[in-house]
Amino acid sequence: MIQWLLPIGLPIFALITGLISEKFIINKFKNFVYKKEIPGSHIIFKSLQGMLLTWFILAGILGAVIAAPLKPDFTNLLQKIITIFFLSSLTLVLARLVSGFIRLYTYRTERATASLISNLAKATVLVLGCLILLQTLGIEITPIITTLGIGGLAVGLALQDTLANLFSGFHLIISKQVRTGDYVKLDAGQEGYVTDISWRNTTIKEFSNNVIIVPNSKLASAIFTNYHLPAKEITLTMNVGVSYDSYLDQVERVTVEVAKEVMQEIAPELKEHEPYIRFHTFGDFSIDFTLYMRVNEYFDQRIGKHLFIKKLHKRYQENGISIPFPVRNVYIQDPNNN
């Protein structure tokens, strides 16, 4: 019994130490780091969630196996099993870290991220971890890699559509033709914000909150408009007509003032881009011109037009500027009169 006191005590001690570390030390350190707002800290703690206790327990079991009076063959078997669990958990942590930091980096550079890249990085780490685990256990991995290569050719022929979508997704991301967060309009008429680019599909969320699923290969070969490229800021255009008896200098001054007020409400950071108008047509009922005004993004055109029409209509009334509408005179001839 005395010989088994240490083997039994080590796992219990490791369990208690792990629980104390998880509940008190790690939580206090986590709260301290979160208050300092250190970049990437949440990724590290999320990746290590539950793993510290697991490693303490594995270390305690390993110490118990070494200290226990067991046969060498059985001791070696238990050590290999513990090694498998440790390397598997370490691989999982590294996969979480790599995936999380790739998401963080792409979000900081592109202000959004696609799950395809992070998932591929996570899968790569998991595969490498499995190969290292097999190599550690003394299993020759060269025949396995050769078999996987030959089998991959057969699988590739059977999954041509899936692979086409996969590589099309990479093409869209690498070429930066479409990024998550972009507002796009397809040639079929659907439009919305790109929320994700996965290994098979691109997800587009409409303003009505509906979701459009487009295969990556279809999107890569489609004609579409990306309203966030080369920049999110776009020029809002509004066609307006005023009566022929209007004083055009006054019309220009009042219209530009109203446009500046609208920009101050919806896009104050773009105020250096002053709005302007250009007269272009002597119409049948009015002198027509176009207003040009910068807004932050494509969707802001709606609120921009809404505010501009309301304010311009009120300001024109105050300044005696009229917006004519077509008038048509209809003459009805009495067939009894010659």
Side-chain angles (χ1 to χ4, degrees), residues 23-36:
K23 297 297 182 181
F24 298 100
I25 300 176
I26 298 300
N27 283 338
K28 287 185 178 181
F29 184 65
K30 183 192 300 185
N31 294 332
F32 172 78
V33 172
Y34 282 172
K35 288 180 180 178
K36 296 295 182 179

Side-chain angles (χ1 to χ4, degrees), residues 130-131 134-135 139-151:
C130 291
L131 294 177
L134 294 175
Q135 187 72 29
I139 300 175
E140 191 65 35
I141 63 174
T142 304
I144 297 177
I145 296 175
T146 304
T147 304
L148 290 176
I150 297 173

Side-chain angles (χ1 to χ4, degrees), residues 6 14 23 26 32 36-37 45 81-82 101 118 126 128 145 149 155 157 175 190 199 203 208 223 240 257 265 277:
L6 184 60
K23 297 297 182 181
I26 298 300
F32 172 78
K36 296 295 182 179
E37 297 182 354
F45 286 114
I81 294 174
I82 294 171
F101 278 106
S118 60
L126 290 175
L128 291 175
I145 296 175
V155 172
L157 293 175
S175 64
Q190 299 94 338
W199 63 275
T203 305
S208 59
I223 299 174
V240 186
E257 287 178 357
E265 288 190 32
I277 70 171

Side-chain angles (χ1 to χ4, degrees), residues 246-263:
S246 300
Y247 182 50
L248 297 186
D249 287 340
Q250 181 191 26
V251 170
E252 182 175 11
R253 176 179 57 79
V254 171
T255 305
V256 171
E257 287 178 357
V258 171
K260 288 181 178 180
E261 292 178 8
V262 174
M263 286 187 65

Side-chain angles (χ1 to χ4, degrees), residues 48-62:
L48 292 174
Q49 186 175 6
M51 290 300 176
L52 192 62
L53 177 61
T54 302
W55 290 339
F56 269 105
I57 294 174
L58 290 175
I61 295 174
L62 179 61

Side-chain angles (χ1 to χ4, degrees), residues 215-228:
N216 293 333
S217 58
K218 298 291 184 182
L219 184 62
S221 60
I223 299 174
F224 62 89
T225 304
N226 190 333
Y227 290 100
H228 283 186

